[in-house]
Amino acid sequence: MAFNIAVAGKGGVGKTSLTGMLIEYLVAEGLGPILAVDADANANLNEVLGEEVELSIGEIKEEVNHAEMNGVPLPPGVTKTDFLRLRLNQAVAEGNGYDLLVMGRSQGAGCYCYVNGILKTQIDMLAGNYQYIIVDNEAGMEHLSRGTLGRIDMLILVSDCSRRGIQAVGRIKELITELKLKVPVIKLIVNRAPDGVLNEGTAEEIKNQGLDLIGVVPLDQNVFEYDAYGKPLVQLPADSPAKVALRDIVNKLEIIKNGKK
């Protein structure tokens, strides 16, 4: 059974960047197989990983809807369910030491409930094929509140040094309790800290929110430069401060040990 890791936090704190570096670290350690899931409608985990995505779940949903609206027949003997399953399997892209599944967006306005449901079904179907499933969630709490992720073995909350960021992940932790979700491990990573040091105000708010801080990732100029030029963050030098800090955090989290249970 796969060890499920969810990464969550408010938008703009660098959780996708950290998710990508986490995946790259596990691959470098020779672990796997790994399924990386970009569960954000505004998908960009593939850019961090340096992968091209040809098909997303949102696009498949639109494809099926378009066929129904325009009376386009399915192949002979193929039901809508079979066709959808086939296309979803084709949406699992093979990356460098991992597979990647992207939620993506649907066209136009409307609720994402159906797309979320498809995502949950697909994760459930694929779970038995992988050692790790690592899910980069959209900003906010929707996937958690809707149960899209199913079982979560480890929840990594990511915040920047702002009080609002810490309060946002505090609310996510509260939601876990309210929903009575059984998440064995919930840890906080503070990202983009100047000189890798927390100020007293941030540390105080972490304590107020009852969060378990596992590590701090320093503000890394290399990350900004790679982003600016569209270079995949997994190609950062091994001695890049953010990468060094994340490796140390992963070792503290014992992800590798837990994933082998």
Side-chain angles (χ1 to χ4, degrees):
M1 183 178 293
F3 186 78
N4 296 338
I5 304 170
V7 184
K10 84 180 193 65
V13 298
K15 59 184 176 57
T16 298
S17 298
L18 293 185
T19 302
M21 286 190 279
L22 168 60
I23 293 165
E24 188 262 347
Y25 178 72
L26 294 178
V27 169
E29 290 295 306
L31 300 172
I34 298 168
L35 176 64
V37 180
D38 189 339
D40 194 338
N42 184 23
N44 58 10
L45 179 59
N46 65 297
E47 295 172 5
V48 172
L49 294 169
E51 301 290 347
E52 293 289 336
V53 174
E54 297 182 1
L55 190 62
S56 71
I57 289 176
E59 290 171 336
I60 292 170
K61 181 234 181 191
E62 291 301 323
E63 178 183 323
V64 173
N65 285 351
H66 179 77
E68 288 181 335
M69 291 174 60
N70 292 277
V72 178
L74 295 175
V78 177
T79 66
K80 177 183 173 181
T81 300
D82 290 339
F83 180 74
L84 186 59
R85 185 177 295 116
L86 171 65
R87 293 296 280 156
L88 286 169
N89 288 335
Q90 292 171 342
V92 180
E94 185 175 341
N96 183 24
Y98 56 86
D99 290 339
L100 176 62
L101 179 64
V102 174
M103 175 176 166
R105 62 182 292 273
S106 299
Q107 297 176 359
C111 177
Y112 281 89
C113 302
Y114 183 62
V115 179
N116 287 338
I118 296 174
L119 177 62
K120 183 181 187 308
T121 300
Q122 189 66 359
I123 292 175
D124 289 344
M125 287 177 57
L126 294 171
N129 300 327
Y130 297 94
Q131 185 75 19
Y132 296 93
I133 296 179
I134 303 175
V135 183
D136 178 29
N137 287 280
E138 63 182 348
M141 301 181 282
E142 183 172 356
H143 288 309
L144 295 171
S145 62
R146 292 186 179 277
T148 304
L149 306 181
R151 191 189 81 256
I152 302 173
D153 296 302
M154 179 179 292
L155 176 62
I156 300 175
L157 302 172
V158 180
S159 175
D160 55 14
C161 290
S162 70
R163 211 171 186 86
R164 291 189 301 276
I166 299 299
Q167 290 168 350
V169 293
R171 287 190 291 271
I172 292 174
K173 185 183 177 186
E174 286 180 4
L175 178 66
I176 295 292
T177 302
E178 291 172 7
L179 295 175
K180 298 181 180 179
L181 298 178
K182 295 180 180 179
V183 182
V185 180
I186 303 176
K187 299 291 184 180
L188 168 67
I189 297 175
V190 174
N191 194 27
R192 299 174 181 166
D195 300 319
V197 179
L198 294 181
N199 60 41
E200 292 182 4
T202 304
E204 179 185 18
E205 189 60 30
I206 291 172
K207 184 177 180 181
N208 292 341
Q209 296 292 332
L211 296 165
D212 189 357
L213 178 67
I214 188 67
V216 178
V217 177
L219 195 65
D220 189 341
Q221 186 61 33
N222 291 333
V223 172
F224 287 101
E225 291 182 0
Y226 272 56
D227 274 340
Y229 289 98
K231 297 174 66 176
L233 294 184
V234 294
Q235 295 177 6
L236 284 167
D239 61 353
S240 190
K243 222 169 188 181
V244 171
L246 186 66
R247 285 199 298 267
D248 181 58
I249 290 169
V250 172
N251 290 332
K252 290 179 183 177
L253 285 169
E254 296 188 329
I255 289 175
I256 295 173
K257 175 182 175 182
N258 285 313
K260 290 181 178 179
K261 287 184 178 180

